[in-house]
Amino acid sequence: KVTLIDLWFKTPKVVARGRTCWDARSVDGSKAPGFEDKYAIVGCYTPFQYAIMDGQTLEPISITSVADSRDWSTGNKLPEVRVASIVASEKKPFWVINLKESGWVYMVDYTNPGKPKETRIKANNFLHDGGWVKLPGSHELRYFLVAANGKNQVCVIDTVAKKLVKARSGKGP
């Protein structure tokens, strides 16, 4: 379940509830200028999907399966493809979605939430959480880093060019 709580009341008040899957892993809202809190997105472990919801009522607008996402390197079908994490861009109307087992990063444009547009980027298997990085001297949030824990790597995604820049191995102890 996703619950929207208004914290401005003396006693916090539940405003809306929604449910789009049995086992949710990640949730975020729309943050781009003109879309602030207009939509919410829920990433699911089961079933393998993400759902875009109205940001005020939490009514589902669209549900998109990710079960067809095959292993990025082999093309093999996988027994499960779970949404590992979702992070919103604060500059443009899209979310970055990491698919755990398949190793794909989806950039999901929500300007038309009923028919979200996906850009699929090959990254690396066993993706987990990620976040934005600001380069020194820049206010631009262009690069997104995501951990590929099973490979001991960090994948750098250029969200402007919409491609993987580098998968860099960590230095173990």
Side-chain angles (χ1 to χ4, degrees), residues 9-116:
F9 281 90
K10 186 175 182 179
T11 302
K13 177 182 173 184
V14 173
V15 177
R17 285 193 172 115
R19 184 173 181 165
T20 58
C21 55
W22 299 297
D23 187 6
R25 160 71 184 196
S26 188
V27 63
D28 206 347
S30 54
K31 296 178 182 168
F35 291 93
E36 296 92 342
D37 301 323
K38 189 171 182 178
Y39 305 115
I41 186 169
V42 176
C44 302
Y45 265 18
T46 49
F48 315 128
Q49 64 190 26
Y50 62 87
I52 298 176
M53 307 167 85
D54 180 277
Q56 300 302 308
T57 66
L58 298 180
E59 289 292 321
I61 297 171
S62 65
I63 297 176
T64 305
S65 174
V66 296
D68 68 335
S69 178
R70 295 177 173 265
D71 184 291
W72 73 274
S73 63
T74 66
N76 293 338
K77 185 167 174 52
L78 298 165
E80 60 184 7
V81 179
R82 300 173 291 174
V83 174
S85 66
I86 302 172
V87 180
S89 168
E90 295 180 9
K91 304 291 183 186
K92 300 201 181 217
F94 69 87
W95 289 293
V96 178
I97 298 178
N98 303 317
L99 299 182
K100 190 176 192 88
E101 290 80 12
S102 67
W104 288 88
V105 172
Y106 288 5
M107 290 177 55
V108 177
D109 180 324
Y110 55 77
T111 54
N112 181 359
K115 295 184 179 181

Side-chain angles (χ1 to χ4, degrees), residues 107-136:
M107 290 177 55
V108 177
D109 180 324
Y110 55 77
T111 54
N112 181 359
K115 295 184 179 181
K117 182 181 175 190
E118 294 176 346
T119 300
R120 298 178 179 196
I121 302 166
K122 296 176 182 179
N124 212 333
N125 300 86
F126 307 107
L127 297 177
H128 286 274
D129 296 323
W132 297 100
V133 72
K134 245 186 233 184
L135 297 177

